[in-house]
């Protein structure tokens, strides 16, 4: 820990030195979105080679922060070099529409170059997808092209033993022996039928990105087949700068049929195909698929349509016959959250995260019996690694502080005896190698942008991967003198529940009152917003313009336990709105706040919240900005919407929608939407605009041609925020 404390001290010295700098440059909106990234060159997808000798990552270019290249670091010598230059190797070909949409659902739609890669099991090469084709990068710098087709390859993978490369092309699964020729092992994928892909809701809501899974011995593949024929068509006008494309998108809106999903097991050449028995009811979700370590059993997580039941199926891959290993059930006024925090052990037992106690905790399932491994009114957020030989688990959680995430070690023989491996005061993420012998820690705090380091299993730092120290040469260093501290606090909801808030203020002058930029998200199913992590330069820019930046986490959000989250069940647009208004009342009571100049801003669910707040409490906010808002839940997808609101045929959707009370909005409103959004389709905003216009309510709009749910990129991000700030200048000018 001594080395980590030393690093923190060095950062403190950098801050004091920067504060003495003469005529420090002012942070501008243009610089916030320019290259290089102000937070520093934070590596992504950091991984260790199978032997641990090399550490690889994706890094943005200094002159083009959206473009990523593949880098390697020798863990013994510290030597680092670019392994694959995306500009030299890539063709620059346009991605297929399918890959573009996959990237949007993975929230990497704005990235260019290399966005994913995979080590071969022998550690001698890396599979690199780039510009729709596949390449094999060797450690000596040689890069071999594996595919060269106009169709593009989706979901590429190296088989566990390294004998095959597999991918999806033209909606069929293709298997290519390394050094051999590719072969489509399914053939009827066309039109509405897809093999080896994840259906829309699996990608967008279930957090499952692939539709096929290799057995550990390379001998069998489990492959999903889905048919979108029953799914309704949304005619989406993808409006771009150069014209409009009308896209007939299969979109499973709430209460309508989902895709028909089947699962098969077959040999790598497509032979010996058997269908997995997923049960008599076809209207289910294929949540997760995993092979046992010995390859003799296929485990399938089957989720009911109402998301109140999750069955773990044990499948015989030779016959497809399935039995229920165990079942998780929610309460009547709740739902089951899916998780990736589980691990199948070589002895046949299972490490499993469950919320049965009211908080996400780890259990061991062995021979039909459950043993609690962790307990308490805190949340296990991830299972990072399992060292079966040593009987140790490594997990992320918020045991020590709701606003911090830490890495912990746990001895299987001593349940609930946790050892924290990361330093207090930080928000930490972590990944480990397959053997759980080394850990990669990514951390940040309000005054330090993301850092990444390699550590041993005691938490001791072995080497910096990216120290990202705030010293001369760092992109953010010239602006340190303007950086303002973030403050944290708590408020009480109407029912007495503790709510956490965060605030950044300008340097307060006695007697002066300041406007507030009140940001919110508020939706369920996502990580909390208020944390002791790096907030980014945009927040600091807003503060430099004289705004107080404020945010509060409401009931219904994640990482506070099920009772906190479940209050939004069948009640969207109620408790979360009430809690945000508690934050607004608190602000109005502060002597340094201009109570007449509080603006509220949110995107996606946050945009929906802006509308609901303006409807519920006219006059509380001086202005509201709603970005890409859901306005009518019947238009949103099945898995997300029905989880919280149920079936539209039986539940009061109308009260949760933002359309019914649109006429109550009397405060200035700016409505923003990407015109090619395939997640929250543009119909949401056009329906709302029509309702406002029909009732004679004035408001402003800014729609972005060609932009999806993520409105941004070179030039566009700056335009977006100039539009927002220009709106606020007009609607709540100084001196009011």
């Amino acid at each position: 820990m001594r080395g980590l404390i030393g690093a923190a001290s060095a950062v403190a010295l950098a801050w004091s030195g920067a504060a003495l700098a003469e005529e420090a440059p002012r942070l501008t909106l243009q610089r916030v979105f320019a290259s290089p990234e102000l937070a520093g060159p934070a590596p992504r997808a950091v991984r260790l080679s199978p032997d641990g000798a090399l550490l690889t990552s994706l890094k943005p270019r200094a002159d083009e922060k959206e473009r990523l290249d593949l880098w390697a670091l020798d863990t013994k010598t510290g030597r680092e070099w670019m392994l694959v230059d995306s500009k030299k190797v890539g063709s620059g070909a346009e991605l297929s529409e399918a890959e573009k949409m996959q990237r949007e659902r993975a929230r990497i739609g704005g990235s260019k170059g290399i966005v994913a890669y995979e080590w071969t099991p022998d550690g001698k090469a890396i599979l690199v997808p780039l510009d729709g084709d596949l390449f094999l990068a060797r450690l000596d710098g040689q890069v071999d092209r594996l595919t060269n087709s106009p169709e593009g390859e989706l979901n590429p993978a190296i088989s566990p033993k390294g004998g095959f490369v597999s991918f999806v092309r033209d909606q069929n699964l293709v298997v290519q022996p390394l050094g051999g020729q590719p072969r489509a092992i399914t053939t009827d994928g066309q039109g509405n039928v897809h093999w080896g892909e994840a259906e829309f809701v699996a990608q967008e809501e279930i957090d499952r990105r692939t539709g096929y899974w290799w057995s550990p011995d390379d001998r069998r593949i489990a492959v999903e087949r889905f048919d979108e024929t029953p799914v309704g068509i949304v005619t989406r006008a993808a409006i771009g700068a150069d014209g409009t494309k009308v896209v007939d998108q299969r979109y499973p809106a709430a209460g309508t049929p989902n895709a028909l999903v089947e699962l098969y097991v077959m040999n790598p050449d497509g032979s010996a195909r058997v269908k997995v028995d997923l049960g008599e009811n076809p209207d289910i979700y294929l949540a997760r698929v995993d092979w046992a370590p010995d390859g003799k059993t296929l485990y399938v997580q089957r989720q009911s349509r109402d998301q109140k039941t999750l069955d773990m199926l044990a499948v015989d891959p030779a016959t497809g016959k399935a039995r229920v290993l165990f079942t998780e059930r929610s309460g009547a006024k709740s739902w089951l959250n899916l998780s990736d925090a589980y691990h199948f052990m070589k002895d046949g037992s299972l490490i499993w995260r469950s919320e049965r106690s009211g908080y996400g905790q780890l259990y061991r399932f062995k021979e039909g019996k459950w043993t609690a491994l962790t307990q308490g009114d805190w949340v296990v957020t991830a299972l990072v690694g399992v060292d079966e030989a040593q009987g140790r688990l490594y997990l992320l959680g918020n045991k020590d502080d709701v606003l911090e995430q830490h890495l912990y070690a746990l001895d299987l023989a001593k349940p609930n005896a946790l050892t924290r491996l990361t330093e207090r005061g930080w928000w930490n993420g972590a990944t480990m190698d397959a053997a759980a012998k080394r850990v990669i820690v990514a951390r940040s705090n309000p005054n330090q942008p993301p850092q990444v380091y390699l550590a041993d299993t005691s938490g001791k730092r072995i080497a910096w991967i990216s120290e990202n120290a705030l010293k001369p040469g760092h992109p953010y260093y010239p602006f340190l003198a303007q950086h303002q501290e973030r403050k944290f606090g708590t408020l009480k909801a109407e029912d007495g529940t503790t709510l956490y808030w965060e605030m950044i203020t300008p340097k307060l002058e006695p007697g002066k009152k300041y406007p507030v930029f009140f940001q919110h998200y508020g939706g369920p199913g996502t990580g909390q917003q208020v944390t002791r992590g790096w907030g980014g330069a945009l927040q600091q820019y807003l503060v430099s313009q004289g705004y107080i930046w404020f945010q509060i986490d409401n009931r219904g959000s994640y990482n506070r336990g099920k009772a906190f989250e479940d209050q939004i069940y069948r009640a969207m647009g109620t408790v979360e709105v009430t809690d945000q208004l508690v934050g607004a009342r608190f602000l109005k009571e502060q002597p340094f706040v201009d109570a007449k100049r509080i603006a509220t801003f949110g995107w996606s669910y946050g945009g929906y919240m802006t509308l609901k707040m303006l409807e519920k409490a006219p006059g509380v906010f001086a202005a509201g900005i709603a970005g890409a808002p859901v306005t009518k839940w019947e238009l949103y997808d099945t898995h997300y919407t029905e989880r919280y609101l149920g079936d539209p045929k039986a539940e009061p959707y109308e009260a949760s929608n933002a359309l019914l009370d649109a006429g109550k909005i009397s405060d200035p409103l700016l409505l923003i939407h990407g015109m090619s959004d395939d997640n929250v389709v543009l119909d949401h905003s056009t329906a709302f605009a029509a309702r406002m216009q029909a009732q004679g309510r004035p408001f402003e709009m800014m729609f972005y041609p060609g932009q999806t749910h993520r409105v941004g990129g070179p030039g566009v991000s700056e335009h977006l925020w100039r539009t927002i700030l220009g709106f606020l200048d007009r609607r709540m000018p100084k001196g009011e």
Side-chain angles (χ1 to χ4, degrees):
M1 287 294 179
R2 218 173 298 157
L4 297 177
I5 294 170
S9 299
V11 169
L13 288 173
W15 283 88
S16 61
L20 298 175
E22 295 183 4
E23 297 183 2
R26 301 298 298 174
L27 190 60
T28 66
L29 197 58
Q30 182 181 29
R31 181 61 193 91
V32 167
F33 296 109
S35 296
E37 174 64 52
L38 281 175
R44 309 182 199 179
V46 182
R47 293 175 193 148
L48 286 164
S49 61
D51 62 2
L54 294 180
L55 185 145
T56 47
S57 65
L58 301 177
K59 289 189 176 183
R61 301 173 83 96
D63 61 342
E64 189 180 359
K65 66 181 183 180
E66 293 83 11
R67 177 172 289 277
L68 304 175
D69 300 307
L70 180 62
W71 287 72
L73 172 74
D74 189 310
T75 58
K76 291 183 178 179
T77 67
R79 184 175 76 92
E80 188 175 24
W81 69 99
M82 184 186 289
L83 196 60
V84 181
D85 184 327
S86 65
K87 283 195 170 181
K88 290 183 179 179
V89 175
S91 64
E94 185 176 358
L95 298 175
S96 68
E97 192 67 21
E99 185 166 356
K100 289 178 183 178
M101 291 302 99
Q102 278 197 358
R103 291 190 179 192
E104 283 297 322
R105 290 159 200 157
R107 305 299 185 259
I108 56 172
S111 298
K112 300 177 183 178
I114 303 167
V115 299
Y117 67 93
E118 181 182 0
W119 277 94
T120 58
D122 61 9
K124 294 181 179 179
I126 301 172
L127 178 66
V128 179
L130 180 59
D131 296 342
D133 278 307
L134 304 180
F135 300 84
L136 200 64
R138 306 190 185 278
L139 304 186
D140 60 3
Q142 179 182 342
V143 180
D144 300 328
R145 179 186 283 270
L146 297 180
T147 66
N148 189 2
S149 64
E151 297 86 3
E153 284 73 42
L154 294 175
N155 304 341
I158 294 279
S159 62
K161 291 293 185 181
F164 304 91
V165 174
S166 50
F167 50 86
V168 174
R169 179 189 288 165
D170 287 337
Q171 300 177 204
N172 285 292
L173 182 61
V174 177
V175 174
Q176 178 176 338
L178 278 180
Q181 296 299 312
R183 175 181 177 179
I185 66 170
T186 65
T187 57
D188 65 323
Q190 58 181 319
N192 294 327
V193 175
H194 298 249
W195 284 92
E197 297 178 52
E199 70 276 22
F200 176 88
V201 293
Q203 294 181 50
E204 183 63 45
E205 308 296 356
I206 298 177
D207 201 25
R208 176 169 62 78
R209 308 297 178 192
T210 189
Y212 70 95
W213 302 264
W214 281 93
S215 67
D217 55 10
D218 279 14
R219 298 177 65 180
R220 301 283 274 169
I221 317 175
V223 188
E224 173 186 356
R225 179 187 189 272
F226 71 84
D227 184 349
E228 291 185 298
T229 300
V231 179
I233 296 175
V234 173
T235 301
R236 176 169 56 86
I239 302 171
D242 299 324
T244 299
K245 296 179 181 178
V246 177
V247 179
D248 285 340
Q249 178 183 346
R250 295 281 176 174
Y251 188 96
T256 69
N258 278 315
L260 295 172
V261 175
E262 298 172 330
L263 185 64
Y264 293 82
V265 180
M266 61 191 72
N267 290 336
D269 62 0
S271 64
R273 183 185 299 180
V274 297
K275 185 177 181 181
V276 172
D277 180 8
L278 295 178
E280 296 181 358
N281 182 6
D283 196 12
I284 52 93
Y285 294 108
L286 183 67
R288 302 285 187 271
V289 178
D290 298 273
W291 287 90
D294 61 8
K296 294 181 179 179
T297 305
L298 182 70
Y299 292 103
V300 177
Q301 294 181 41
R302 178 182 65 191
Q303 187 182 42
S304 60
R305 174 75 183 252
D306 64 6
Q307 300 176 63
K308 292 179 176 294
T309 303
L310 182 70
D311 295 316
M312 176 66 81
L313 305 180
V315 179
D316 180 349
T319 65
K321 292 183 178 179
R323 61 184 176 88
V324 177
L325 193 64
F326 63 84
T327 299
E328 288 268 12
R329 292 185 174 87
S330 74
K333 296 183 178 181
S334 184
W335 65 88
L336 291 170
N337 288 311
L338 296 174
S339 172
D340 290 317
Y342 61 91
H343 180 85
F344 292 94
M345 308 281 278
K346 292 178 181 177
D347 66 0
S349 65
L350 169 67
I351 308 299
W352 177 257
R353 181 186 185 274
S354 173
E355 295 177 318
R356 62 187 62 187
S357 71
Y359 291 86
Q361 299 291 342
L362 292 181
Y363 298 80
R364 189 175 191 179
F365 180 74
K366 188 174 184 179
E367 297 175 349
K369 297 181 179 179
W370 292 95
T371 301
L373 300 177
T374 60
Q375 298 178 31
D377 55 354
W378 58 280
V379 175
V380 173
T381 52
L383 179 61
V384 177
V386 179
D387 184 343
E388 296 194 38
Q390 298 297 319
R392 283 170 67 83
L393 305 180
Y394 300 88
L395 59 102
L396 291 171
N398 60 7
K399 183 176 187 293
D400 287 276
D401 191 322
V402 171
L403 304 185
E404 298 176 9
Q405 180 171 269
H406 289 286
L407 177 66
Y408 299 89
L410 172 67
D411 190 331
L412 277 172
K414 300 176 182 178
N416 213 40
L418 294 169
T419 302
R420 180 170 47 81
L421 305 181
T422 45
E423 184 183 358
R424 287 296 306 270
W426 300 75
W427 182 272
N428 298 272
T431 58
M432 300 188 81
D433 60 335
K437 300 300 183 185
R438 291 288 185 267
V439 58
I440 298 166
V441 177
R443 69 175 193 171
S444 72
N445 67 30
N447 296 328
Q448 171 60 55
Q451 298 179 312
V452 185
Y453 63 89
L454 180 66
D456 63 20
T457 53
S458 72
K460 180 181 178 182
R461 189 178 74 241
I462 298 171
W464 284 111
I465 299 168
S466 174
E467 186 177 6
N468 203 25
L470 288 170
K471 59 186 180 182
H474 190 284
Y476 194 64
Y477 181 81
F479 309 104
L480 283 182
Q482 302 169 51
H483 188 97
Q484 298 298 311
E485 293 283 336
R486 193 184 316 175
K487 304 175 182 69
F488 297 90
T490 61
L491 294 170
K492 293 294 185 181
E494 290 183 350
D495 67 348
T497 301
T498 298
L499 308 174
Y500 289 85
W501 58 260
E502 58 185 358
M503 177 193 296
I504 309 172
T505 70
K507 291 181 180 179
L508 299 177
E509 299 177 17
K512 186 175 180 180
K513 294 180 181 291
Y514 298 83
V516 180
F517 190 92
F518 188 150
Q519 183 169 320
H520 58 267
Y521 178 72
T526 62
Q528 68 200 80
Q529 305 298 302
V530 180
T531 73
R532 293 194 213 280
W534 177 251
L538 181 60
Q539 296 174 3
Q540 294 291 331
Y541 172 77
L542 293 171
V543 172
S544 75
Q545 298 302 297
Y547 288 98
I548 294 169
W549 183 87
F550 181 84
Q551 187 167 229
I552 186 170
D553 276 337
N554 52 254
R555 287 172 292 169
S557 55
Y558 204 47
N559 281 358
R560 292 286 305 280
K562 282 298 287 180
F564 187 87
E565 190 180 9
D566 286 346
Q567 294 192 53
I568 210 168
Y569 184 75
R570 303 295 193 265
M572 287 169 123
T574 59
V575 293
E576 75 273 43
V577 172
T578 299
D579 289 353
Q580 294 292 328
L581 292 174
V582 167
R585 287 196 293 272
F586 163 74
L587 287 169
K588 288 176 179 287
E589 294 169 355
Q590 305 311 303
F592 51 84
V593 168
D594 186 340
K596 295 181 179 180
R597 297 174 65 212
I598 300 176
T600 188
F601 163 83
W603 199 272
S604 195
Y605 197 101
Y608 162 74
M609 287 277 288
T610 292
L611 302 179
K612 295 295 283 188
M613 285 191 282
L614 295 184
E615 292 172 353
K616 182 179 178 64
V620 169
F621 298 101
I625 302 104
V630 174
T631 67
K632 184 177 181 180
W633 286 108
E634 293 91 336
L635 296 176
Y636 203 60
D637 71 57
T638 51
H639 194 269
Y640 184 91
T641 311
E642 294 172 12
R643 185 188 319 158
Y644 310 116
L645 289 180
D647 190 330
K649 301 181 184 68
E651 299 296 334
Y653 270 55
E654 190 174 33
S656 290
N657 290 339
L659 297 177
L660 182 65
D661 293 328
K664 294 181 179 179
I665 294 180
S666 57
D667 302 307
L669 168 67
L670 173 61
L671 184 65
I672 305 171
H673 217 117
M675 301 183 81
S676 295
D677 194 335
D678 80 323
N679 179 7
V680 180
V681 295
L682 185 60
D683 291 13
H684 285 274
S685 280
T686 55
F688 185 83
R691 184 66 63 96
M692 291 284 282
Q693 291 160 350
Q695 300 194 40
R697 291 294 184 182
F699 66 103
E700 297 183 30
M701 289 191 298
M702 179 59 71
F703 289 174
Y704 284 88
Q707 293 290 308
T708 58
H709 196 55
R710 170 194 172 274
V711 173
V716 176
S717 295
E718 185 179 344
H719 184 278
L720 170 66
W721 282 94
R722 289 198 185 283
T723 299
I724 291 170
L725 294 174
F727 167 74
L728 295 182
D729 286 344
R730 293 191 305 275
R731 295 303 183 176
M732 52 181 214
K734 296 177 182 178
E736 283 197 351

